[in-house]
Amino acid sequence: MKITIVCAGRVKEKYLRDGIAEYEKRLRPYADIRTAEIGEERMREKPSPAEKTEVLRREGARLLAQVPQGAYLIVLDVAGRAYTSKELAAQMDALALAGRSSVAYLIGGPFGLSDEVRRAADVRLSFSHFTLPHQLIRLFLVEQIYRSFKISRGEPYHL
C-alpha cells in the first residue's frame, strides 16, 4: 500500500521528528510511506472572517495539490468521526480488498481546514475533540497507521 501524509508546516521539535522517523521506519515493511509538506499560510492576528476563509482556501488548495491522483483521502478534522484502532485497521483492510492501494492522510495547519478540503475527503477522521497541535497529530497518525498494520496481521502490539 502507498501512504502519503500531506501536511502544512514542518515539525520543528526534535523529539517529535525522532518519534515520527521511528514509526516511519517501522512502517517500511508494510507500506511505502512518504510525507508531502507545504509551507503554512500566514494570517494576521485578528483576521476578518473573509480573510480567514481566503487564507484557508489558499492553503487548502495547496494541500489538495499534493494528494496523489486517485488516492483515497482521509482528512484529519476535529469535527470528523472518531475511530478505534481496530476500526481504523478494518477500514485499511477494506480499502486494500477494494483495490485502493493509495491512501492519503491530510493534516491542515494551525488555522484549520477549508470547506473545500472537507468536501474533498472520502473520510473525515478525528483523533480527539481536543484541539491538538498539528505537529503532534503527525506523530499520533504514523503510530496509528503502524498499529493498524500490526492489528490487521495479527501481530503483537499493545491494544
Side-chain angles (χ1 to χ4, degrees):
M1 181 169 277
K2 291 183 181 183
I3 296 173
T4 305
I5 298 173
V6 179
C7 46
R10 296 195 182 282
V11 175
K12 296 172 182 86
E13 292 82 6
K14 183 180 182 331
Y15 72 95
L16 290 174
R17 286 193 316 268
D18 290 347
I20 291 165
E22 175 62 27
Y23 282 105
E24 287 176 343
K25 180 179 83 175
R26 291 181 187 192
L27 272 165
R28 285 192 189 104
Y30 303 103
D32 176 13
I33 186 164
R34 75 174 194 85
T35 300
E37 297 174 335
I38 66 159
E40 295 173 2
E41 288 287 327
R42 303 244 185 245
M43 191 178 315
R44 55 191 195 115
E45 193 167 321
K46 294 185 181 182
S48 71
E51 289 171 311
K52 183 175 181 184
T53 298
E54 177 56 23
V55 167
L56 290 176
R57 187 200 62 73
R58 281 195 317 263
E59 186 173 80
R62 291 176 41 237
L63 286 164
L64 290 172
Q66 296 299 314
V67 174
Q69 183 74 28
Y72 187 86
L73 180 58
I74 300 172
V75 171
L76 278 67
D77 183 0
V78 71
R81 178 177 174 241
Y83 284 72
T84 66
S85 296
K86 288 181 180 181
E87 288 171 333
L88 185 61
Q91 182 184 33
M92 297 296 284
D93 289 345
L95 289 171
L97 285 172
R100 302 296 300 263
S101 62
S102 179
V103 177
Y105 291 87
L106 188 147
I107 303 169
F111 305 114
L113 298 167
S114 68
D115 290 338
E116 292 85 0
V117 168
R118 285 187 174 100
R119 283 192 298 271
D122 291 299
V123 169
R124 290 174 35 218
L125 171 67
S126 175
F127 275 13
S128 174
H129 292 294
F130 290 126
T131 301
L132 299 167
H134 60 285
Q135 295 179 9
L136 185 58
I137 287 296
R138 283 176 62 180
L139 177 58
F140 290 172
L141 176 61
V142 291
E143 189 280 335
Q144 284 299 304
I145 295 169
Y146 174 69
R147 184 181 296 264
S148 292
F149 280 106
K150 297 293 273 186
I151 289 168
S152 293
R153 286 164 175 72
E155 297 174 2
Y157 196 70
H158 299 292
L159 297 178

